[in-house]
Amino acid sequence: MDVSIVIPYYERPEELMNLLNTLDSLDREGIEIETIVVADASPIPNEQALLNQHASLGLQFLHNNQNMGPGFSRNRGVQHADGRYLWFIDSDIEIPNPNILKNLITELNASPKRLAVGGTWESEAGIPLATRAKRLPSFYVVNEKVPISKDYADELDRLTSGNFFMERANFIASGGYDSALRTNEDEEFCMRLQKVLDGHFFQNERTLACHTLSEKGRDTGFLACHDPVRYFKVKYLTRLNLMKRYASWRLLLLPFLEVISVLLYVKDTRAGRLHSGRIKLSSDSRSSHLTFTLISALNVGSFFLSFALFFLPSPFQARREPPVSSHPPIEPILEEELQPCPL
């Protein structure tokens, strides 16, 4: 098996059908593939019809009995994968480029330093713009928009998991996704890949896929979430956790980093450098600035928490978090069944 496609799925039946249709249109000559859809406690309508319609994709469905999050779902998909390469695709991705699979293989093997290739573009006013993640000093991540040309190419510190192509052996060597994280699991995975394997991520015009930014399966409502208190608690504690693991010195400077991050965010937004489709709080950029400033101001007020976390073991760290010198294990069943494969 050459390529195993792993798709975490949650409440997006129409988007999944569109994705499978675009995968069916790929140029796969000489490439053997399998496609594993992991339904995260979310039923898939017409499952048997999809199996019949997309038989050439080697389609199979796995079902989590309870909602476990995208990291767990991707790990479980890998548990059932046999391919030399892993291609992680989110269910709201569309792939208009029929040559992308061959391009991904070519670009990944173009340099031994490339840990993964892929990336996404999003449409603004009908214009496709590449998405480039930018980590602010406070460890929040915003998404810059970049014009796409035939010469466009980017070496990155982080690559979206929406379209993420890598060697299976490297996935196993890094330990897989930390399934204890319910958010920012892709951010943590990229940081750990770089720490363990020492490389970078890459995207260019030939490797990008379209991110349709479906609202299904996402939080909506006040402040773009059903439960604002829980949502921001999880986001904030996850951010502290990642700081503790990878840049603990930032905890001591967090209030100052918050202020700097707010200024950078406002500057980038006013300059039109950020994807507007991701600013879901309001179409009014001033409202977005105010909300982001308010959230950061609340974070500054927790300076004492971050200061204590620098010196003490964190009570908020994800379960099974390892020492900084190692990496979080993937699900126990993966550790038993996944073995490095010869390339």
Side-chain angles (χ1 to χ4, degrees), residues 7-20 35-51 53-54 59-64 73 76 91:
I7 305 171
Y9 169 85
Y10 184 73
E11 295 185 353
R12 294 174 181 169
E14 295 179 1
E15 289 84 349
L16 177 62
M17 286 190 289
N18 290 336
L19 172 58
L20 294 177
T35 304
I36 304 168
V37 178
V38 185
D40 198 13
S42 178
I44 301 176
N46 303 321
E47 188 172 309
Q48 188 58 51
L50 292 176
L51 288 171
Q53 182 180 353
H54 301 287
L59 188 60
Q60 57 179 296
F61 292 100
L62 306 176
H63 294 271
N64 298 335
S73 297
R76 189 179 180 201
S91 56

Side-chain angles (χ1 to χ4, degrees), residues 162-328:
N163 175 31
F164 195 97
F165 189 88
M166 68 179 302
E167 293 264 10
R168 182 176 184 270
N170 286 343
F171 180 90
I172 296 169
S174 68
Y177 287 90
D178 184 351
S179 60
L181 297 179
R182 299 307 295 261
T183 183
N184 294 103
E185 80 291 336
D186 50 351
E187 173 82 2
E188 193 278 335
F189 183 51
C190 287
M191 288 190 287
R192 181 155 36 86
L193 269 174
Q194 290 183 303
K195 185 179 182 66
V196 173
L197 299 175
D198 185 28
H200 59 260
F201 305 96
F202 179 82
Q203 65 184 29
N204 66 9
E205 183 267 342
R206 290 159 38 87
T207 66
L208 297 173
C210 174
H211 189 190
T212 62
L213 272 177
S214 171
E215 293 186 0
K216 297 177 183 177
R218 300 178 188 271
D219 286 331
T220 58
F222 178 67
L223 289 182
C225 49
H226 295 297
D227 186 345
V229 174
R230 179 182 179 278
Y231 177 79
F232 286 115
K233 177 183 177 181
V234 171
K235 291 286 287 185
Y236 181 59
L237 295 182
T238 299
R239 183 186 62 146
L240 290 182
N241 186 2
L242 296 186
M243 281 189 182
K244 178 72 174 180
R245 292 188 192 185
Y246 296 102
S248 58
W249 61 268
R250 292 176 187 256
L251 294 169
L252 297 176
L253 303 175
L254 185 57
F256 307 100
L257 299 178
E258 296 283 16
V259 173
I260 295 172
S261 296
V262 169
L263 294 176
L264 290 174
Y265 174 82
V266 172
K267 178 183 177 182
D268 286 346
T269 303
R270 287 180 174 175
R273 287 193 284 265
L274 302 183
H275 271 292
S276 61
R278 293 176 175 270
I279 304 173
K280 303 198 302 179
L281 305 182
S282 171
S283 59
D284 181 358
S285 61
R286 289 176 298 177
S287 174
S288 299
H289 296 161
L290 177 62
T291 304
F292 189 87
T293 304
L294 175 61
I295 294 169
S296 294
L298 293 174
N299 289 341
V300 171
S302 61
F303 167 67
F304 292 105
L305 174 61
S306 63
F307 189 85
L309 185 58
F310 178 80
F311 294 102
L312 301 173
S314 170
F316 306 113
Q317 290 177 354
R319 55 184 167 88
R320 306 190 314 277
E321 187 189 26
V324 174
S325 60
S326 64
H327 54 76

Side-chain angles (χ1 to χ4, degrees), residues 55-100:
S56 66
L57 296 179
L59 188 60
Q60 57 179 296
F61 292 100
L62 306 176
H63 294 271
N64 298 335
N65 292 328
Q66 57 181 319
N67 186 266
M68 300 297 293
F72 178 94
S73 297
R74 295 186 187 106
N75 285 349
R76 189 179 180 201
V78 175
Q79 173 190 342
H80 293 262
D82 295 317
R84 170 183 175 179
Y85 300 103
L86 300 174
W87 189 7
F88 297 104
I89 312 177
D90 283 352
S91 56
D92 60 347
I93 294 292
E94 292 183 2
I95 304 174
N97 180 4
N99 299 313
I100 189 172

